[in-house]
Amino acid sequence: MIKTENLTRTYGKGEGQVVALKGVDLTINDGEMVAIIGKSGSGKSTLLNLIGGLDVPTEGKIFYNDTEIGKMNDTELSKFRLNNVGFVFQFFDLIPELTAEENILLPSKLAKKNGEQADGLYSALDINDRIKHYPSELSGGQQQRAAIARALINSPDVLLCDEPTGNLDKRSGEEVMSLLKTLNEEQGKTVIIVTHDADIAGQCERIIEISDGHIA
Amino acid sequence: MTSLYILNKYWLKHKKSFATLLFSGTLLCAVITCLFLNFRKDFITDIDDVYDKQGRQTLLVTSDRTDVIDLVTKEDTIRGEIDVLGRTGIGNDTFEYGILHDPEDLAHLPLESGRLPEKEGELAAFRSVLKTFGFFGDVGDKITLDTGTYTLVGILHDEDADYRDGTRMHIQQLYDDVYDENQKEIRYYYPMLFIGGSSSKTPVYTWVMLDNIKYVTVPDINRDRYEKFHDEFNDVLESKGIEFDTERDWQYINWEYYPFWSVAKTFKQNQHKMMPLYIVSCLIASLSVLAVMRNIFAERENTIRMLRKIGVSKRRITVMYTIEYICLAIIQAAAGIAIGSAAHFGISSYQTKVLSGKKFSGFTANRFADRLLPNSFVIGAAISAGVLLAGYFLAAILSNINTSCRRKKKAASLWRCAGRIFRTRAVTVIQITALTLICFGTVYGYMLFHSTEGYYLENGVGITLENEEDEGKFIPYLVTVFGKNGQFDFDKDDIEEYYCTDGIRTVTTGSFVYSLHSDHFNGIDDTAVDRLSGVIPHGALPQTFIVSDKNSKLKSSIVYGSEEEKQFFLENSSDEDKALLSSDKVLYKSPIALTDKEVTGKLSQYVTAGEINADKLDSGEEILMIVKYGESPLALGESIQLGAAETENGFGIGKLSTTEVRIGAIITLPKNMDKFLRYSISAGDDYNLLTTASRAASMGFEGAMYTELFAKEAIGSQIPLGTGFNMTSKAQLRHELFMKNASFLGSMGALLLLMSLLGFSAYFNGIGLKIRLKEYQISIMRAIGTPIKRLRRRLMLDGLRIPLFSGAAAFVAVKLMQRIMLSGYNKMQEIEFSTQQAIDAFSSTLENNGEGFTKAQLAQLDHISELEKQSNIIYDQYLCEQQMWFMNAIIPTLIVFCVMCVITILLTRKSFRRFTPDIASSLSKGRKRQ
């Protein structure tokens, strides 16, 4: 279970200070598929980054199964991300110097695991014949599938997706969403998707709307 | 305007990058400007050294040759004159005197102290001349000569006078023409005495000194030019129908060729060993600029891409960067010239005021330096602008290179993956080059300084070491040695101060030494010595002899130069002396050493016959016999007739003092005895007599004074006035050494420091750039769960390969340099061996050759000369003097390597501070950079 209490994040100081999130209280249960929607700059990505430990809150607390991640140091937080969270970004964020396979296997190597489910993931994501290629040699859909495979390689309980279809055509977007739904339904993964696409949000069990840093 | 607007916006946003770039460029310009100003200063100083030796004038000719003077004079010819009024002095000691009219200092007289005379009644003279007159005073004293009484306002330095001796033969010719009587050899072409004011007396003749004359163009530093000028000049004279007698008229032509040859040689020798450091510093400074440029371009790649996307043409972008380049080049040139000039001003002031160097700087006007050296400001601005331009090109090229290494193989290990992720070849090349240069420069600097502290023993041409194991042994230069032949050492012998004075003036004819009568003798007597504690005194009377018969065991009987000379002595001696000189008695040279009672008291352990009786010694009844080698020539108790020669005027023996004395004790000195004690009681080669100074004086030996003092502690204030002692102290020598090292080490240390700062700035820029370029990748790694510590550690280990590689490269470069130097040295030795063989071959042909050299012999001489020239060139070019091939380069390289490793770790840590806990924003920034 993921729980936030009075979650606040501000950027900058003085007159130029921007409040991205302001006192957000939220609970997401295990195995839920949640969509976070809102306008550009409403604070939805900030919320996702804070939940995933990519950013630290200015105020408030974030609990993951009763453990407060805000109190973790960099090493503990890194370990938390490595083992419990999988990230899927809008711009895929694959390391350009590494092949798709190396990108996918990187978290398992970091966690000192053997990446045994890699082959299954390649087949499931239909990227078997592309894994030896560099990101620049892959299409957007293939890159995003590789990014999802990388997010899943250490079997995390939570998948955090920041506009995962934002950079894909309609067909590729549908494929990715279908994949995420399968992961949620069949493997019970908690999936949190940040989007401003109503269709995608409509495919989720729950929709949380963020407006001006608040839950609407 | 749009371009300027974009530029302005860019620089306002990246003030730090702008400042870093300006800093590097300005520093490069400052280094070069300062370096060339220093070159200029050294060059001017070297020219002045040459002028010290031979004056400044290009042509020195007598005033009666107006035809020659008119011929060579042009609008800006500089002229000076010396009116020689005749001879003056004291008695027979006379020298030329004259008035100097030389506003441009063409005579360039080397002043030891004071100034040149300006008013009537003022006088300046060479030190040796003053000594000839028996004048031991200083500037400000009055001196009476045949022509009047003068105030001494300046003393000219004698040391350089010998260099001016080359013209003596030409001058002698003129001199013979001018004076009919009292012919004496003259040493200088200038008068020996200079008076001030204007004299109503008509000059005997006038020297005209000319500089910047016609027909002298800037010569190449080679012999051909010299010959060309010579021929040109003769041709012109011939065409004008002017008779020019080289021996008579062309008294001295100070060819521009000659000073430049000398200056170029000295200058080259001085700068040669520092040249690698200069080059390395400039390369590092350039690298620093390139590193910053690469850094800036890495940041602006996105901007350029964006500008191109919105339709800005390539041409416009080029114009934009050209404007930027020009602005930067101007700013860095202005700032660099100002900083470089200020740095040079500081250095030259330090050298002039603190280290008492010549009062020159790179700003001193000098037409030769203007002609032969590039303008320091122009060269500083040009090189820094050139490097900046190269930086633009290089950065532009590198920004388009994809440096990732792509190999389609099985998934690599985490370590290899990380290696590939962090790889940035172009930056790494800059970093390795910068560190290699720093390491090489520092090790070279260490070796250079080390070589000034001593030398290595080696077998070479004409040198064979007794012990083979001594080859390569380091012998430090003893900096605190003193005394005659440097046989004592302040440190080792535990002496604080050493006093020495000339003592009595003696004249030698044949083997006869006699003292010149004087009212004043330098040195101190027994009474003064007794007041000083912890002092070992020494004095000697070289003019004493023993009167004995032909069968005596005494050595070194006095012989006269010739029969005529003996006759001359007899004629000028008293009746009593005539009787002695005409008898069948033989005078044996027998110097008396003088030492005080305290020292004499320490000799009892070395007495081999008789005993030391202080009372009899004091009363003059007895004298001691000191034997250093062999047996005593005199028996214990033997009575001897002891004499000393003294003269009033330097001719004949004015006074032969003789006295009867008995040998009281014979003292045989072992070799291993205390060397001060041994020295203080010795005077001759194998044996000598010994007494105290007051006893010797009472026996009638004038000038019996202690002339050397070895003091265990500082006694400066206790030395009476008027003793003429020159003091050398441990502290003084240490200070001199410090000053010498401060000059060399100061300039080298500053250069090394600057070089390292610039190098590490380039290196640091590299680390920063690497991390910035890889910000995206690092952020992804962090996002998927890599702790920042792990990433930092990985990058540190990755970074440590750079100092490792640089250290190894620098070590290889140093070893290569050592090998090249050694090969040069071996080559030089081979040439020296050939030279020696050629000299031997030439020497063998000299026998039975009474009529000058044959053509074959002249060819041999040319060959020898050529070989010597080659040897000298190699000696200079391969820095043979420094003997760097002997030095162990491992330890300094390791030290520099360790420093580089520590700096790598610290700089990497610092660069990682840019990563905050906000991974999302860092990821976003990195993404934009991609």
Side-chain angles (χ1 to χ4, degrees):
Chain A
M1 188 180 69
I2 296 164
K3 193 180 170 189
T4 68
E5 285 177 7
N6 190 31
L7 198 61
T8 304
R9 180 69 169 100
T10 56
Y11 295 102
K13 284 176 184 175
E15 288 182 4
Q17 192 179 57
V18 176
V19 183
L21 279 181
K22 197 174 179 184
V24 172
D25 294 317
L26 174 72
T27 305
I28 297 169
N29 295 315
D30 291 345
E32 257 193 297
M33 187 163 175
V34 181
I36 302 173
I37 59 168
K39 291 176 190 170
S40 291
S42 59
K44 52 189 189 298
S45 289
T46 305
L47 177 63
L48 193 78
N49 290 334
L50 288 169
I51 291 171
L54 288 183
D55 198 359
V56 281
T58 314
E59 273 179 50
K61 292 173 181 172
I62 308 163
F63 294 97
Y64 178 80
N65 291 341
D66 299 330
T67 309
E68 192 189 340
I69 62 170
K71 287 187 174 172
M72 291 178 179
N73 63 23
D74 183 74
T75 310
E76 289 165 340
L77 209 53
S78 297
K79 200 172 174 185
F80 161 74
R81 282 197 300 270
L82 187 64
N83 295 314
N84 302 305
V85 183
F87 282 99
V88 179
F89 300 103
Q90 182 185 357
F91 297 101
F92 327 129
D93 289 339
L94 295 171
I95 294 173
E97 288 86 353
L98 303 181
T99 61
E101 185 187 25
E102 286 166 341
N103 266 293
I104 293 165
L105 289 175
L106 196 58
S108 68
K109 288 177 196 290
L110 284 166
K112 292 178 184 158
K113 291 176 183 171
N114 55 12
E116 55 195 7
Q117 72 270 44
D119 289 340
L121 282 171
Y122 301 152
S123 305
L125 293 164
D126 195 21
I127 49 169
N128 252 330
D129 56 336
R130 309 300 289 169
I131 55 166
K132 300 292 180 193
H133 290 256
Y134 285 93
S136 58
E137 296 162 351
L138 301 175
S139 70
Q142 287 166 339
Q143 283 190 57
Q144 194 60 299
R145 283 204 294 269
I148 293 171
R150 182 182 64 187
L152 294 172
I153 192 77
N154 281 349
S155 307
D157 296 329
V158 182
L159 263 181
L160 301 176
C161 312
D162 190 359
E163 309 217 16
T165 60
N167 241 6
L168 301 176
D169 58 47
K170 196 178 177 191
R171 196 181 150 208
S172 301
E174 282 170 358
E175 279 176 15
V176 166
M177 275 312 293
S178 151
L179 191 68
L180 293 174
K181 275 173 81 176
T182 309
L183 288 167
N184 173 248
E185 286 165 4
E186 292 179 5
Q187 295 183 25
K189 308 267 185 208
T190 307
V191 179
I192 305 171
I193 301 171
V194 164
T195 183
H196 46 238
D197 186 331
D199 287 347
I200 288 174
Q203 294 178 48
C204 297
E205 291 168 20
R206 182 150 66 110
I207 297 172
I208 301 166
E209 190 180 348
I210 304 279
S211 175
D212 294 333
H214 297 280
I215 294 179
Chain B
M1 287 311 286
T2 319
S3 307
L4 285 176
Y5 176 76
I6 295 166
L7 272 179
N8 186 35
K9 280 282 169 197
Y10 179 82
W11 285 118
L12 281 176
K13 191 165 182 269
H14 297 91
K15 283 176 199 146
K16 206 174 157 190
S17 301
F18 183 64
T20 316
L21 180 60
L22 262 185
F23 171 76
S24 303
T26 303
L27 222 52
L28 174 64
C29 180
V31 166
I32 294 165
T33 307
C34 182
L35 214 61
F36 273 82
L37 282 170
N38 285 346
F39 279 162
R40 192 182 154 90
K41 177 191 178 288
D42 290 347
F43 189 77
I44 293 169
T45 310
D46 289 343
I47 287 178
D48 196 67
D49 285 344
V50 173
Y51 287 156
D52 279 349
K53 293 170 187 172
Q54 59 197 39
R56 248 189 77 187
Q57 74 284 0
T58 310
L59 186 69
L60 181 68
V61 70
T62 46
S63 58
D64 60 333
R65 296 314 310 256
T66 47
D67 48 354
V68 175
I69 293 167
D70 291 344
L71 179 71
V72 297
T73 303
K74 56 179 184 172
E75 210 172 290
D76 54 351
T77 293
I78 303 164
R79 183 175 169 141
E81 286 171 4
I82 308 170
D83 290 334
V84 181
L85 303 173
R87 291 180 73 87
T88 186
I90 302 171
N92 288 323
D93 293 325
T94 61
F95 298 90
E96 280 189 336
Y97 77 105
I99 300 176
L100 190 67
H101 309 282
D102 188 20
E104 295 282 344
D105 190 30
L106 296 182
H108 204 79
L109 294 167
L111 272 167
E112 188 182 290
S113 59
R115 58 172 173 82
L116 289 172
E118 289 162 3
K119 292 178 222 158
E120 216 157 313
E122 289 184 341
L123 178 91
F126 284 91
R127 172 70 77 187
S128 62
V129 175
L130 295 171
K131 279 190 177 177
T132 309
F133 298 149
F135 180 83
F136 293 94
D138 211 338
V139 169
D141 291 349
K142 298 273 181 197
I143 181 165
T144 305
L145 304 176
D146 296 342
T147 44
T149 299
Y150 301 91
T151 306
L152 187 72
V153 293
I155 298 175
L156 301 170
H157 193 41
D158 266 311
E159 228 172 72
D160 299 316
D162 289 343
Y163 296 104
R164 301 187 178 202
D165 209 24
T167 52
R168 184 175 53 82
M169 284 172 70
H170 295 307
I171 311 304
Q172 189 71 49
Q173 180 77 33
L174 176 80
Y175 187 81
D176 291 344
D177 293 343
V178 174
Y179 298 103
D180 296 321
E181 52 186 21
N182 294 329
Q183 302 283 330
K184 273 196 175 181
E185 189 186 38
I186 56 166
R187 286 187 64 195
Y188 310 100
Y189 56 90
Y190 292 136
M192 303 294 290
L193 298 154
F194 295 90
I195 59 167
S198 54
S199 173
S200 53
K201 194 176 170 186
T202 312
V204 179
Y205 66 98
T206 299
W207 285 117
V208 177
M209 300 173 286
L210 298 169
D211 191 24
N212 205 20
I213 58 173
K214 246 190 229 174
Y215 304 113
V216 180
T217 50
V218 184
D220 296 321
I221 303 166
N222 58 42
R223 190 81 193 166
D224 295 341
R225 186 66 217 170
Y226 171 87
E227 298 293 354
K228 194 163 177 268
F229 172 67
H230 187 277
D231 293 343
E232 273 177 15
F233 194 75
N234 272 335
D235 290 346
V236 172
L237 289 170
E238 210 171 304
S239 66
K240 299 269 179 187
I242 298 171
E243 283 180 27
F244 194 85
D245 177 4
T246 310
E247 288 298 315
R248 166 67 177 80
D249 300 318
W250 203 333
Q251 299 303 338
Y252 185 66
I253 290 196
N254 184 5
W255 302 98
E256 284 195 46
Y257 159 79
Y258 180 67
F260 281 112
W261 180 80
S262 304
V263 171
K265 194 167 166 55
T266 320
F267 185 65
K268 209 173 85 184
Q269 279 169 348
N270 288 345
Q271 305 299 340
H272 210 80
K273 58 186 179 187
M274 290 292 278
M275 203 48 85
L277 272 185
Y278 295 151
I279 294 169
V280 165
S281 304
C282 288
L283 279 176
I284 287 178
S286 308
L287 265 179
S288 176
V289 175
L290 294 184
V292 183
M293 286 303 294
R294 173 73 188 99
N295 207 340
I296 287 169
F297 264 74
E299 276 182 342
R300 13 167 96 157
E301 273 163 28
N302 235 19
T303 314
I304 298 170
R305 223 173 284 150
M306 202 59 70
L307 288 170
R308 293 284 290 137
K309 274 180 190 168
I310 62 167
V312 178
S313 67
K314 267 188 180 177
R315 192 175 160 273
R316 181 163 245 189
I317 291 174
T318 312
V319 169
M320 189 170 93
Y321 287 118
T322 309
I323 294 169
E324 183 188 66
Y325 165 73
I326 293 168
C327 293
L328 280 173
I330 291 171
I331 297 171
Q332 74 179 25
I337 286 170
I339 294 170
S341 302
H344 172 72
F345 180 75
I347 292 169
S348 57
S349 301
Y350 168 72
Q351 287 172 336
T352 305
K353 289 174 185 164
V354 182
L355 304 182
S356 309
K358 287 194 169 180
K359 287 176 184 171
F360 294 119
S361 76
F363 311 115
T364 308
N366 185 293
R367 65 191 171 96
F368 298 130
D370 287 346
R371 280 187 207 166
L372 294 176
L373 291 181
N375 185 295
S376 311
F377 305 140
V378 172
I379 206 102
I383 293 180
S384 58
V387 169
L388 188 66
L389 189 64
Y392 270 88
F393 278 115
L394 195 74
I397 293 165
L398 287 178
S399 63
N400 291 323
I401 295 174
N402 190 342
T403 55
S404 65
C405 173
R406 301 193 156 193
R407 281 173 293 182
K408 292 183 181 178
K409 286 183 183 171
K410 197 183 162 190
S413 67
L414 179 66
W415 181 261
R416 284 195 173 177
C417 281
R420 238 188 291 164
I421 292 167
F422 298 135
R423 184 173 296 153
T424 43
R425 279 186 193 154
V427 182
T428 307
V429 166
I430 290 179
Q431 287 181 307
I432 289 175
T433 317
L435 287 198
T436 306
L437 288 171
I438 290 178
C439 190
F440 177 82
T442 314
V443 174
Y444 179 80
Y446 161 78
M447 291 164 94
L448 203 59
F449 181 67
H450 188 63
S451 69
T452 62
E453 294 177 323
Y455 63 97
Y456 293 89
L457 288 178
E458 58 181 331
N459 278 312
V461 176
I463 306 165
T464 310
L465 295 177
E466 285 179 17
N467 191 352
E468 283 296 320
E469 289 169 7
D470 285 345
E471 175 87 18
K473 191 177 167 189
F474 185 71
I475 309 293
Y477 291 125
L478 287 174
V479 292
T480 52
V481 290
F482 68 100
K484 286 166 191 165
N485 305 320
Q487 72 272 53
F488 300 111
D489 186 298
F490 279 116
D491 280 332
K492 284 185 182 170
D493 300 321
D494 192 26
I495 290 293
E496 196 60 41
E497 287 178 349
Y498 169 67
Y499 293 84
C500 183
T501 185
D502 290 343
I504 51 174
R505 265 186 75 203
T506 56
V507 182
T508 307
T509 307
S511 60
F512 207 111
V513 180
Y514 47 97
S515 65
L516 286 171
H517 176 75
S518 174
D519 294 333
H520 172 81
F521 293 103
N522 284 336
I524 55 174
D525 58 16
D526 276 312
T527 320
V529 164
D530 287 345
R531 286 198 207 108
L532 305 170
S533 60
V535 165
I536 302 165
H538 172 68
L541 298 173
Q543 82 280 28
T544 51
F545 54 84
I546 297 172
V547 183
S548 190
D549 55 37
K550 283 178 185 171
N551 301 324
S552 171
K553 287 180 185 171
L554 289 159
K555 298 172 188 172
S556 310
S557 59
I558 293 170
V559 291
Y560 307 101
S562 63
E563 268 306 311
E564 290 79 13
E565 203 170 68
K566 188 179 178 183
Q567 200 57 41
F568 185 75
F569 281 151
L570 283 170
E571 286 168 11
N572 288 282
S573 300
S574 65
D575 292 342
E576 192 186 346
D577 295 344
K578 274 179 193 163
L580 179 60
L581 291 168
S582 309
S583 69
D584 56 355
K585 294 281 183 187
V586 179
L587 310 186
Y588 292 95
K589 283 171 80 174
S590 184
I592 300 176
L594 306 171
T595 195
D596 68 347
K597 279 182 199 166
E598 194 184 327
V599 172
T600 318
K602 293 176 185 169
L603 297 174
S604 50
Q605 55 180 316
Y606 305 113
V607 173
T608 46
E611 60 175 328
I612 301 170
N613 187 319
D615 293 336
K616 288 182 180 174
L617 201 62
D618 210 30
S619 67
E621 193 181 326
E622 288 181 356
I623 198 162
L624 303 175
M625 182 78 207
I626 304 291
V627 181
K628 284 188 284 184
Y629 305 103
E631 286 182 6
S632 172
L634 300 171
L636 180 69
E638 188 176 337
S639 272
I640 53 172
Q641 191 181 0
L642 196 58
E646 182 195 290
T647 178
E648 288 284 345
N649 54 13
F651 295 99
I653 304 166
K655 188 177 159 196
L656 266 180
S657 316
T658 54
T659 182
E660 283 283 325
V661 66
R662 198 172 64 242
I663 302 295
I666 296 171
I667 296 159
T668 307
L669 305 180
K671 280 184 184 173
N672 58 356
M673 71 182 288
D674 177 76
K675 63 177 179 180
F676 283 102
L677 190 59
R678 187 184 174 92
Y679 181 79
S680 67
I681 56 175
S682 303
D685 292 333
D686 293 350
Y687 59 83
N688 61 271
L689 299 169
L690 176 74
T691 188
T692 59
S694 52
R695 188 60 239 146
S698 67
M699 282 195 281
F701 301 141
E702 295 215 23
M705 307 276 266
Y706 298 110
T707 53
E708 283 179 273
L709 300 175
F710 300 88
K712 293 274 180 192
E713 50 197 59
I715 53 162
S717 57
Q718 300 172 50
I719 297 286
L721 293 172
T723 55
F725 273 121
N726 287 320
M727 193 264 281
T728 316
S729 72
K730 192 195 287 186
Q732 181 192 338
L733 287 186
R734 287 234 171 105
H735 177 72
E736 279 170 14
L737 178 74
F738 170 77
M739 286 304 196
K740 190 182 150 204
N741 283 347
S743 182
F744 178 57
L745 254 189
S747 54
M748 194 175 77
L751 200 63
L752 282 175
L753 188 72
L754 198 64
M755 181 189 83
S756 305
L757 274 176
L758 284 166
F760 280 120
S761 141
Y763 183 56
F764 176 60
N765 265 308
I767 291 177
L769 176 62
K770 224 175 213 182
I771 289 168
R772 221 174 303 169
L773 286 174
K774 297 298 175 185
E775 187 173 9
Y776 179 54
Q777 288 83 337
I778 290 169
S779 302
I780 295 173
M781 297 280 283
R782 289 183 73 196
I784 60 172
T786 320
I788 196 150
K789 273 186 190 170
R790 199 167 169 184
L791 284 167
R792 193 167 57 204
R793 197 167 56 232
R794 177 63 182 77
L795 263 179
M796 266 181 201
L797 288 172
D798 206 45
L800 285 177
R801 288 190 304 186
I802 293 171
L804 185 69
F805 190 82
S806 303
F811 182 71
V812 170
V814 169
K815 291 305 273 181
L816 195 68
M817 181 187 75
Q818 286 181 317
R819 194 160 276 242
I820 291 169
M821 285 174 172
L822 181 60
S823 73
Y825 176 73
N826 289 334
K827 207 168 153 188
M828 188 194 77
Q829 282 211 319
E830 279 172 27
I831 294 174
E832 283 191 353
F833 184 67
S834 306
T835 313
Q836 194 56 51
Q837 281 184 322
I839 290 170
D840 292 345
F842 174 75
S843 305
S844 66
T845 64
L846 288 177
E847 291 171 19
N848 305 321
N849 179 18
E851 296 177 357
F853 295 130
T854 62
K855 276 191 178 175
Q857 283 175 323
L858 287 173
Q860 273 179 307
L861 280 175
D862 280 347
H863 178 57
I864 291 167
S865 163
E866 186 56 35
L867 285 172
E868 281 174 346
K869 199 171 147 190
Q870 278 179 22
S871 170
N872 286 336
I873 289 171
I874 292 173
Y875 187 78
D876 284 348
Q877 279 182 349
Y878 289 80
L879 299 176
C880 291
E881 192 188 347
Q882 267 66 39
Q883 293 182 288
M884 284 191 191
W885 53 88
F886 277 115
M887 287 181 210
N888 185 349
I890 293 177
I891 292 168
T893 313
L894 273 177
I895 293 170
V896 180
F897 167 70
C898 291
V899 171
M900 291 194 302
C901 287
V902 171
I903 288 175
T904 302
I905 292 167
L906 294 175
L907 292 183
T908 310
R909 282 185 74 90
K910 188 178 180 298
S911 295
F912 255 80
R913 283 190 199 146
R914 68 184 287 111
F915 294 107
T916 59
D918 186 358
I919 300 170
S921 96
S922 161
L923 189 61
S924 160
K925 265 197 277 174
R927 213 181 269 145
K928 278 179 199 162
R929 209 183 291 282
Q930 284 295 301

